Amino acid sequence: MMNRVLFRGASVWDGSGAPAFLADVLVEGSRIKTIARAPDRLATEGATVIEARGRTLMPGLVEGHAHISFGGAVNDSDLGNIPPEEHMLLTVRNAKTLLDHGFTSAYSAATSKLRLDVVIRNAVNAGEFPGPRIRAGSPEITVTGGLGDERKAHMYYESFGMIADGVEEIKKVVRLCCREGVDNIKVNISGDDLSPAAHGGLTVMREDEIQMAVSVARDFNKKVNCHARSAESVKRAVRCGVDVIYHCESADEEAIDMLESAKDRIFVGPAIGIIYSTLYEGEKFGFYRDSEVGRQMQRVIDTTAEVYTELRKRGVRILIGGDYGFAQSPQGDNARDLKHFVDLLGFSPNEALQCGTRIGGQVMGLGKELGEVKEGYIADLLLLDGDPLKDIDLVVHTKNLHVIMKEGELYKDVSATATLEHTVVG
Ligand SMILES: [Zn+2]
């Protein structure tokens, strides 16, 4: 007999963008079996019944720019300084933290050692540790002097990136990542404002290098994501067929047109969380608003708002995920990106939530079965106290997540004992 769970009387926000509706939702095994809109009801026989009492039933969240192995770093170089044993334990804890906060899936933007994402993905899949469904990332593949090259000329010093110069080295390093089992290859095409040799306006990975990375990834049926802040890096990414293009805040008119023309095959993600936290909450870590870094962060927020308003209007698929895992933007705060999308980038709560659910399901490669509350879809579900369309901030706080279900299994269920603080429906 398959495991059956019935959510009775839920306000269903299904991820499609349509308004919420009252319904009973039956989960059987790992899938959503039946959705009965009120006044229709479903029989409760043989099912574990969860009385929703009007609480919101919505798809589990998808972190679209996950760094599951990042934690507590102030500087990029800190990421490379953690010994592998401690690093694996940190990654295990972070995976649980993500699931505890309602993230049932995570698309990795990069790992900080070659096998960390791969190992945690496999361990979660085997049921050994709690965590989201994971698409494992490669380390940041970067050129000498690019973001992720923290080495020093005068002494041996490791980096958290994998440094490769020229098509032959790129070919070899991408093949190595594929051999070790990653799902997504990461290439750093532009520099970064917090990177010493190459700031975010510079485009340091050459087109033939990117082409080779994509071509080898295709041979192994992997996706490719990239770090691209400068306009030229965005253009190179589109021309070379990169699947997920992060940042893009300096995209000019031509770059925006190119992103629009490729909108059926690409995703973009602003990764705004780290920028916000560095600007407004970074002081105790040495990031001051009244400094060059502060002014840079303000510029990035302003240009991101302009570019992403345009991309949203043109229907480009946008992912949440704000580089959580640094000291000023800890793992677990990931859903704050939804609120940033609303407050900083001009999204409606409904639009922001679609980025964190339905669009996320698509980037996971499960577009027809993940990220929506629909019959036949994978039962990744949250029962939330309150209406996130009225107050997006509700999703951020775990106390409002009364049920977290992943693939039909109740990971958390306090629905019977939790006090209803926000719900108005009887
Ligand atoms: Zn990142």
Side-chain angles (χ1 to χ4, degrees), residues 235-299:
K235 294 172 197 173
R236 286 187 195 174
V238 176
R239 281 198 295 267
C240 294
V242 172
D243 302 290
V244 183
I245 307 173
Y246 291 123
H247 310 300
C248 306
E249 76 270 8
S250 299
D252 56 17
E253 196 55 38
E254 185 189 16
I256 290 172
D257 287 344
M258 289 172 72
L259 290 169
E260 183 186 10
S261 70
K263 68 182 178 184
D264 293 332
R265 65 168 179 84
I266 61 152
F267 299 84
V268 295
I272 197 70
I274 183 74
I275 307 295
Y276 178 92
S277 300
T278 303
L279 180 60
Y280 292 106
E281 295 157 7
E283 209 166 292
K284 60 175 175 289
F285 306 105
F287 301 109
Y288 297 98
R289 279 181 75 179
D290 188 23
S291 71
E292 188 45 37
V293 169
R295 283 183 284 278
Q296 275 166 355
M297 296 299 118
Q298 187 63 61
R299 264 199 304 276

Side-chain angles (χ1 to χ4, degrees), residues 296-315:
Q296 275 166 355
M297 296 299 118
Q298 187 63 61
R299 264 199 304 276
V300 173
I301 288 181
D302 295 343
T303 52
T304 301
E306 282 171 36
V307 167
Y308 279 80
T309 298
E310 198 56 36
L311 293 175
R312 174 169 51 80
K313 285 183 188 157
R314 298 195 193 189

Side-chain angles (χ1 to χ4, degrees), residues 65 67 109 140 186 247 323:
H65 187 123
H67 289 302
E140 318 265 354
K186 171 71 171 291
H247 310 300
D323 263 324

